[in-house]
Amino acid sequence: EERSVILGYLEDGPNLVTLAMNGWQEGSPAWWLNLQAQPDAVVRLAGQDPRPVTGRAAEGQERERLWKSWAAVDLELDGYAAQRSTPTPVVVLEPRVDPAQRL
C-alpha cells in the first residue's frame, strides 16, 4: 500500500539525502522500515515531475561525508544525535533506472 511522508532533504548530485529519525527519539521511523523492505519509491518535489528512486542507507566514508553536509546545515545535529543509543541512518534516494533503458 502506497504511503506519503514529508521529509527534509539535501541534494547530492542526482541523489537526494535524508535522515531516518524519529524526532530524535529511539527507534526508526515507519517510512524507513518500509523503505528497507521495499526500496523503490517515488519522490514528489514541488514544480517537478515525480521522480522514481531507490532508497538505501549510506555507509562508511559516504555516510561520514553526507553526515557532515547535514551538520553544516543543522549545527545542533551532532548534539541531538548523541541523545540516541543507535546511529541515525543517512538515507540516499538514488534515481531509479528503468530496466529497459539499461540495454
Side-chain angles (χ1 to χ4, degrees):
E1 186 175 325
E2 198 171 298
R3 308 221 186 261
S4 295
V5 63
I6 297 172
L7 301 171
Y9 67 93
L10 297 177
E11 293 185 26
D12 184 53
N15 300 333
L16 301 176
V17 180
T18 191
L19 302 177
M21 56 187 180
N22 226 357
W24 296 116
Q25 302 301 312
E26 293 297 327
S28 295
W31 69 263
W32 174 231
L33 299 174
N34 290 338
L35 195 62
Q36 287 177 299
Q38 173 44 270
D40 290 343
V42 176
V43 172
R44 291 178 177 86
L45 301 176
Q48 296 183 20
D49 290 334
R51 191 185 299 197
V53 297
T54 299
R56 63 175 177 79
E59 296 181 6
Q61 290 180 338
E62 179 188 40
R63 184 190 186 286
E64 290 177 31
R65 178 180 63 80
L66 295 173
W67 185 267
K68 287 179 183 177
S69 294
W70 269 102
V73 174
D74 182 353
L75 301 179
E76 304 294 326
L77 183 64
D78 288 322
Y80 287 127
Q83 297 176 26
R84 294 171 45 96
S85 64
T86 58
T88 301
V90 176
V91 180
V92 179
L93 302 170
E94 300 174 316
R96 189 171 357 130
V97 178
D98 181 347
Q101 293 176 346
R102 292 182 188 162
L103 300 176

